[in-house]
């Protein structure tokens, strides 16, 4: 039986276990971890999966990437089960709402994919609501899984870890929530966010956490937004002695666990959009176009991976805001380093250098690590790089892209509320605008058009009020979780970008001394060499 291992996109390390890849977060050659091989699913295997509920489907997909030597089967099942406990829609986890020209349902009776209504020949959009977790964000799905996996790996030898996370808004609350619930006091976390570049609601979700092991830190003077914070984090992770002494890892989407946890909902959307199709021929011909709000390109890479596994996706559309590196790459073939992130209403996507891009480029280069290294090194040295013709061709064959302005984002929010009685968050509105303006269609009912909805609109009240030109907050933009947070004290820490590295190092060292625990100390050399044999 094949044992799944993980390798670096730059080819500078040997294969290693998921245990090592997830705790190390990054290989020691400045690459990113990817699966050594991609499991392929044929039609018969897809047929076996299509009747499963979300929890069972997630377990079966994740099993393809997680071997018994990493996590015993029953332990993995338990982890997956706990991931979705407490979701608003805990029975299905990710409901799909259908938007079409005949929509006349009221606000509280949105048409879910479980409805029996025929799609006829009109273009329909299925909105996959990925935000029904405890912090009302898509990140709840992947971080509940990632934190539990990290905690399990640490528990094997009674070890601790310190986690550093940079957030543009949604990763932070989801990380802190998951660590409070599943960390079992083995994990301390520093969650860093750029001042003035996330919503007030997102900030409150982080600063009202009460756990002693979670820290929300506002970082001022970040001209490039979260990219500035990422640069500081990279310096810290490059200090191997400091990292090993304090057992430091990260849970940003560069961690392979986050990528794996996102795979199931692409398969779920594919199977759930088959409703109404009864014959084997209809089911065999069923395909999906997926429109993905895109910032750091974590979901872009996950969609690419799902497609490589055999999921029938005709197109993957990357919808970006004005900072959209993905759209610029598709249009020009150039990767260009920018000095400043433009502040947009879709703030979680205000990213000028999406770090998961290198995973995407790796597969567009067909796994050629030499090509990847040449592109990445040129970019790092000169601040720009040109994709070779073959890589650019594969990028364009894999993705369609669209760049959406703030004006069009607001218009999309207003249009979908007026016409479809559906209120979208700004990031979802970016994807909806792309879906509704690019001429995407259902190909006579054979192709489902799916838009990923990444956050509850209530997390972006200012954007909702601007889009609807009103001070009133509609019922659809309210949620009990967000209202409850208003009743809690905020506990905020802050620094400026210039002092961030020193302040972070000092605080982590002090915390490690105070905890007096044994910190995970997996050297990168051991991970590259024989760690997979031990674990």
């Amino acid at each position: 039986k094949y044992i799944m291992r993980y390798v670096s996109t730059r080819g500078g390390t040997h294969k290693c276990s998921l245990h090592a890849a997830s705790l190390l977060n990054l290989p020691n050659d400045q690459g990113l971890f990817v699966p050594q091989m991609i499991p392929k699913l044929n039609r018969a295997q897809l047929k076996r999966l299509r009747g499963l509920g979300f929890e069972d489907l997630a377990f079966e997909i994740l099993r393809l990437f997680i071997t018994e030597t990493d996590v015993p089967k029953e332990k993995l099942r338990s982890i997956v089960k706990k991931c979705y406990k407490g979701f608003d829609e805990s029975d299905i986890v990710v409901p799909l709402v259908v938007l079409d020209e005949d929509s006349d349902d009221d606000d509280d009776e949105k048409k879910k994919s479980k409805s029996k209504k025929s799609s006829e020949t009109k273009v329909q959009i299925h909105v996959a609501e990925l935000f029904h977790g405890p912090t009302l964000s898509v990140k709840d799905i992947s971080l509940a899984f990632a934190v539990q996996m990290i905690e399990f790996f640490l528990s094997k030898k009674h070890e601790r870890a310190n986690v550093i996370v940079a957030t543009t808004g949604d990763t932070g609350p989801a990380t802190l929530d998951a660590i409070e619930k599943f960390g079992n006091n083995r994990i301390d976390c520093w969650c860093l966010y750029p001042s003035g570049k996330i919503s007030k609601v997102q900030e409150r979700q982080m600063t009202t956490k009460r756990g002693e092991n979670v820290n929300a830190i506002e970082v001022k003077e970040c001209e490039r937004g979260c990219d500035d914070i990422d640069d500081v984090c990279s310096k810290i992770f490059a200090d191997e002695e400091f990292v090993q002494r304090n057992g430091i890892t990260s849970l940003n989407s560069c961690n392979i666990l986050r990528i794996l946890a996102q795979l199931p909902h692409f398969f779920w959307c594919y199977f759930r959009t088959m409703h109404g199709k009864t014959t084997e021929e209809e089911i065999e011909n069923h395909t999906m176009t997926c429109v993905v709000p895109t910032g750091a390109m974590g979901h872009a890479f996950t969609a690419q991976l799902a497609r490589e596994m055999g999921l029938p996706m005709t197109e993957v559309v990357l919808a970006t805001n004005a900072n959209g590196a993905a759209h610029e790459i598709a249009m020009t073939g150039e990767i260009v380093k920018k000095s400043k992130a433009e502040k947009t209403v879709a703030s979680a996507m205000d990213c000028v250098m999406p770090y998961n891009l290198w995973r995407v480029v790796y597969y567009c280069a067909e796994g050629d690590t030499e090509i990847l290294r040449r592109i990445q090194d040129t970019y790092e040295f000169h601040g720009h790089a040109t994709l070779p013709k073959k890589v650019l061709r594969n990028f364009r064959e894999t993705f369609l892209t669209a760049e959406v302005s703030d004006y069009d984002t607001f218009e999309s929010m207003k249009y979908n509320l007026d016409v479809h009685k559906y209120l979208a968050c700004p990031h979802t509105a970016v994807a909806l605008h792309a879906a509704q303006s690019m001429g995407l269609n259902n190909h006579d009912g054979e192709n489902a058009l799916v838009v990923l909805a990444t956050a509850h609109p209530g997390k972006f009240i200012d954007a909702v009020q601007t889009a609807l030109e009103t001070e009133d907050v509609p019922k659809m933009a309210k949620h009990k979780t967000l209202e409850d947070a208003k009743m809690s004290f905020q506990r905020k820490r802050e620094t400026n970008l210039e002092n961030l590295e020193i302040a972070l190092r000092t605080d982590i060292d002090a915390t490690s001394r105070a905890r007096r625990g044994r910190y995970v100390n997996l050297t990168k050399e051991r991970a590259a060499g024989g760690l997979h044999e031990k674990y």
Side-chain angles (χ1 to χ4, degrees), residues 364-384:
C364 290
E366 299 171 5
D368 191 323
T369 56
E370 184 178 343
I371 291 177
L372 187 282
R373 284 197 306 271
R374 189 162 61 245
I375 298 168
Q376 190 173 357
D377 289 347
T378 300
Y379 171 81
E380 294 295 342
F381 187 79
H382 295 288
H384 63 84

Side-chain angles (χ1 to χ4, degrees), residues 1 15 32 49 123 146 150 172 188 214 233 249 286 304 336 338 392 395 402 415 417 451:
K1 184 180 177 180
K15 61 186 180 181
L32 293 167
L49 295 173
V123 175
I150 292 289
D188 286 282
V214 293
C233 293
T249 188
H286 181 66
Q304 183 183 25
V336 179
K338 296 180 180 178
L392 179 59
F395 187 95
Y415 169 82
L417 181 61
V451 166

